[in-house]
Amino acid sequence: MTLAVSGSIATDHLMRFSGRFAEQIVADQLSNISLSFLVDDLVIRKGGVGGNIAYALGVLGGAPLLVGAVGPDFSEYRSWLEEHGVNCSGVSVSATAHTARFVCTTDEDMAQIASFYPGAMSEARDISIEALAAQHSMDLVLIGANDPDAMTAHTAQCRAAGIPFAADPSQQLARLDAVQATDLIDGAAYLFTNEYEWALLKQKTGMSDADIAAKVDLRVTTLGKRGVDIVAKGGEHTHIGVVPETSKVDPTGVGDGFRAGFLTAHMAGASIERAAQLGSLVAVLVLETTGTQEWDLNRDDAIKRLTAAYGADAGEEIGALLPA
């Protein structure tokens, strides 16, 4: 099964604040807010929604096609992804702009304040999914957070070409209006959001749970430490709890890891339950690591953790999907 990932490709600048953002906010002074946080450390990592998901798919044994736009500073990042099984032939290199940059500070409660510079990402709208489909077999295109025009174009191109797609608008929901948001999910094989994004999507579009269910085949809503809710078009509901963490280091990219794990298993024929369980394992591996692409997979350890969290059958069945 070939999965193409259309999404942002970025460099992450990650910092840690040894305090709580909530304690620095004066409620009646929000219109005059002016805050600066002295952080404890800075790490620079490879990231972006598209890059993170593609990396995770590669680690899980897949050969995803990454679709996005980058700057001429991408060469080292390209080599890293290719070493982990990612096909970067769908990546366009800008002649003028730098690769996108994500700057994020995380406090001791795992709350985050971030900024995102799009740079070359804005040129992703010029990439044609239909042209790539003429060169690569595509069983599914995941359309993640990216240049908004690219997200709209790639969704329309998938529909026109009859290519199944997964809608994963995530952080870009804040920039989309009701018409754009509705268009991005209409006809999706999968709709991925976290709990807040799910509420925001309904607020922006004015649609109910049932209205959205009529437009997508499978809704997957991650709930943080409470696990994940999955609702099929027919109304069948599945809830899966998390794999307990051994530490809580950095939440950046946890959702990207979940998506990769879920799609790896589900597209391989696993049940919704097993797919969510693999997604939860990958998510916790990301949570326990600084950086979105610094984690790795040890098959034996993965099976032990899956067995401890979900039982021996889960460990055995999901373990069979993992690379040796």
Side-chain angles (χ1 to χ4, degrees):
M1 304 290 284
T2 301
L3 202 164
V5 180
S6 169
S8 61
I9 304 168
T11 301
D12 290 346
H13 292 238
L14 308 176
M15 292 163 282
R16 183 173 301 280
F17 172 60
S18 59
R20 300 177 65 243
F21 294 141
E23 294 175 348
Q24 317 304 320
I25 296 173
V26 181
D28 62 357
Q29 291 294 314
L30 292 179
S31 61
N32 301 312
I33 194 167
S34 178
L35 291 172
S36 176
F37 300 98
L38 182 64
V39 298
D40 293 337
D41 55 18
L42 165 67
V43 292
I44 300 175
R45 307 289 186 188
K46 301 169 182 67
V49 166
N52 293 341
I53 295 175
Y55 169 83
L57 290 166
V59 170
L60 292 169
L65 174 68
L66 180 58
V67 180
V70 299
D73 53 341
F74 181 64
S75 58
E76 181 186 353
Y77 195 167
R78 179 192 294 274
S79 296
W80 166 261
L81 290 172
E82 291 176 343
E83 288 169 5
H84 290 87
V86 179
N87 182 344
C88 293
S89 61
V91 176
S92 174
V93 180
S94 172
T96 58
H98 289 293
T99 300
R101 188 162 299 172
F102 175 65
V103 181
C104 180
T105 303
T106 303
D107 75 359
E108 62 184 19
D109 288 338
M110 296 287 114
Q112 296 181 309
I113 295 177
S115 298
F116 189 85
Y117 159 73
M121 188 183 81
S122 299
E123 298 179 24
R125 67 189 70 175
D126 299 324
I127 300 172
S128 169
I129 293 293
E130 293 167 308
L132 289 173
Q135 304 170 35
H136 307 275
S137 174
M138 294 185 186
D139 298 292
L140 180 77
V141 179
L142 184 145
I143 301 173
N146 202 348
D147 169 70
D149 288 343
M151 296 168 71
T152 299
H154 293 171
T155 300
Q157 290 161 12
C158 284
R159 280 196 287 258
I163 303 171
F165 67 94
D168 183 19
S170 64
Q171 299 99 329
Q172 290 293 39
L173 274 174
R175 293 188 56 179
L176 303 175
D177 61 27
V179 173
Q180 291 171 317
T182 301
D183 181 66
L184 287 180
I185 69 171
D186 194 9
Y190 303 88
L191 168 62
F192 290 101
T193 68
N194 62 28
E195 189 172 21
Y196 180 82
E197 292 158 358
W198 172 238
L200 182 60
L201 176 64
K202 291 191 290 182
Q203 176 183 293
K204 285 219 169 204
T205 62
M207 289 191 288
S208 66
D209 291 27
D211 294 333
I212 296 176
K215 292 183 176 294
V216 305
D217 291 339
L218 199 67
R219 170 175 63 91
V220 184
T221 308
T222 55
L223 309 171
K225 64 183 179 181
R226 292 185 290 109
V228 56
D229 280 338
I230 304 162
V231 181
K233 186 184 285 287
E236 299 87 353
H237 178 271
T238 303
H239 177 83
I240 299 297
V242 300
V243 175
E245 75 268 7
T246 58
S247 61
K248 190 179 291 184
V249 177
D250 191 335
T252 309
V254 166
D256 300 335
F258 176 87
R259 286 146 176 73
F262 183 92
L263 289 172
T264 293
H266 201 237
M267 291 181 68
S271 67
I272 288 173
E273 179 182 18
R274 294 292 184 249
Q277 289 167 345
L278 178 56
S280 297
L281 172 70
V282 178
V284 81
L285 293 176
V286 178
L287 178 65
E288 293 168 353
T289 309
T290 298
T292 56
Q293 297 177 31
E294 305 303 313
W295 63 277
D296 204 350
L297 182 74
N298 179 291
R299 185 174 182 274
D300 291 339
D301 182 61
I303 292 172
K304 289 178 183 177
R305 296 185 72 171
L306 287 164
T307 299
Y310 305 118
D313 288 346
E316 181 179 352
E317 292 173 23
I318 300 171
L321 302 175
L322 301 177

